[in-house]
Amino acid sequence: MNLTRPLRTTAVPALLTASALVALTACGTSEADSAAKGSGSKATVTVRIPDPGNSGVLALGKKDGSLDKALSKAGAKVEWTGSAGPFAPAAQAMNADQLDIATGSITSGITSLAQRPGFKFFTAVDPDAAGEGILVRNGSGIGSVADLVGKKVAVNQGGTGEYLLLKALAKAGIPADEVTRVYLRPDQTAAVFNAGKVDAWAVWATYAVAEIGSGKAHFVADGAAIGSDNYSLNAVRTEFAEQHPKVVQALYRYLHEASAKEKQNPAAYLNVFTDVGPTAVTGKAKEVQTEFTAEGGTVDPIGPEDIERFKAVAAFYAEQKVTRTQVDVAAHLLDVGKLT
């Protein structure tokens, strides 16, 4: 089986969606472990994955049954658990054997790996050159990263937002302490940003789409301008991967193929369950999301070049004192092509 990935460009995180605004909550005991304990048992393996909401490849896979169909070939099925959201609580849920699969950025992944992780990463999606960056309100007078000096910027601590801001400042040669970091949960930041209580917001597509789509905000520097190495990754609970490698392989294949289809036809993966209400992406925001996804890439295996960039992010985080020491990311990666 050839799982070698094609050459990739940039990408929008394939599992995170514009509707994933609430923190993950999870409960229950894995049927996977129960099945594994039964001698010769052929019970169906249950894969616990955060509910994908209203958009993205998993949302469509949930609606049309294609994900369960793909996993059934490996003797597995999905249990949708909680809601997709920040990676930190998802990592905690995996560590507590309450979740098997989650999605997050390499930046939030590194801070979670700095703890005592019970998970490993098995896929990579290239940094989102178009959909993440430093967001400012139109008419703010902030025309460059240099204009952030003396200003307040909202970031999520230890995650994508803090990384994007620090990376942008470093590239511009601006000491980090010349800009005030305001630590906020991303799902609580829009109101603060729009009220003018912070001057800018370091953010990614999940939250940026609505702001840009409103016509009232724009990126003063996007991921490409910042030189972001902020990959999106899929993580699997370590014990689950050890017990059910073929299930992890089957999930990878599905995500890879579905993300390629999403890139070709982004609109088909928006508003999967409803086109009205708070989870729907409408109007200009829908156009923005479609453009970001079309410019994106696919879910692929983690290659040597990716690992080097992961190491660079870990070194940067240590240098910026986000982590106490440089995290060894390579020790927590799986080669999905070698799972048997």
Side-chain angles (χ1 to χ4, degrees):
M1 173 172 48
N2 181 12
L3 294 182
T4 303
R5 68 160 187 227
L7 181 66
R8 300 182 305 189
T9 54
T10 56
V12 176
L15 298 189
L16 294 177
T17 70
S19 61
L21 305 180
V22 292
L24 178 146
T25 57
C27 61
T29 302
S30 173
E31 292 181 26
D33 293 338
S34 298
K37 292 176 183 176
S39 177
S41 172
K42 294 183 179 180
T44 300
V45 175
T46 296
V47 188
R48 296 165 297 177
I49 303 176
D51 190 278
N54 194 32
S55 297
V57 298
L58 288 183
L60 190 58
K62 177 184 178 181
K63 182 178 181 180
D64 65 14
S66 59
L67 178 57
D68 268 331
K69 182 177 180 180
L71 292 181
S72 69
K73 297 177 182 178
K77 66 177 182 179
V78 175
E79 177 184 316
W80 301 107
T81 307
S83 301
F87 183 70
Q92 292 172 358
M94 285 189 288
N95 292 346
D97 188 17
Q98 297 174 335
L99 189 67
D100 300 311
I101 301 292
T103 302
S105 64
I106 183 58
T107 47
S108 58
I110 285 171
T111 52
S112 294
L113 289 174
Q115 310 302 316
R116 297 199 316 189
F119 62 88
K120 292 188 176 182
F121 294 110
F122 67 101
T123 73
V125 180
D126 282 341
D128 186 2
E132 66 180 13
I134 311 298
L135 197 69
V136 298
R137 294 180 300 279
N138 295 347
S140 67
I142 300 173
S144 68
V145 172
D147 293 332
L148 295 175
V149 172
K151 300 291 195 301
K152 294 185 291 186
V153 182
V155 302
N156 60 313
Q157 187 171 14
T160 293
E162 188 162 27
Y163 169 78
L164 291 172
L165 176 61
L166 292 173
K167 186 76 172 177
L169 295 176
K171 186 172 183 180
I174 300 169
D177 60 5
E178 291 191 11
V179 175
T180 300
R181 278 169 270 176
V182 179
Y183 293 122
L184 293 170
R185 274 176 35 189
D187 59 339
Q188 296 177 333
T189 306
V192 177
F193 174 72
N194 287 306
K197 295 180 180 179
V198 294
D199 301 291
W201 181 6
V203 66
W204 60 102
T206 302
Y207 303 96
V209 165
E211 303 305 319
I212 296 172
S214 73
K216 298 179 181 179
H218 64 279
F219 284 136
V220 71
D222 61 15
I226 292 169
S228 172
D229 280 326
N230 187 39
Y231 282 77
S232 174
L233 307 176
N234 284 308
V236 59
R237 185 169 59 87
T238 302
E239 188 176 1
F240 184 93
E242 291 170 350
Q243 294 176 345
H244 309 292
K246 292 188 182 302
V247 177
V248 179
Q249 272 194 344
L251 179 60
Y252 158 72
R253 286 192 213 97
Y254 181 85
L255 294 174
H256 173 72
E257 293 170 7
S259 63
K261 293 176 182 177
E262 182 186 33
K263 177 180 169 64
Q264 294 301 315
N265 184 18
Y269 293 80
L270 292 176
N271 303 329
V272 172
F273 291 99
T274 178
D275 57 6
V276 296
T279 65
V281 185
T282 59
K284 181 64 176 177
K286 187 174 182 179
E287 295 179 24
V288 172
Q289 181 64 70
T290 299
E291 290 171 3
F292 285 168
T293 304
E295 292 180 34
T298 57
V299 176
D300 294 306
I302 298 169
E305 71 280 13
D306 304 319
I307 297 173
E308 289 305 308
R309 293 172 74 178
F310 296 170
K311 290 179 180 178
V313 176
F316 181 73
Y317 258 25
E319 175 189 322
Q320 296 290 326
K321 304 189 185 307
V322 176
T323 57
R324 293 182 180 179
T325 59
Q326 182 171 333
V327 174
D328 182 8
V329 181
H332 303 281
L333 305 177
L334 291 178
D335 185 340
V336 73
K338 294 182 179 179
L339 294 177
T340 57

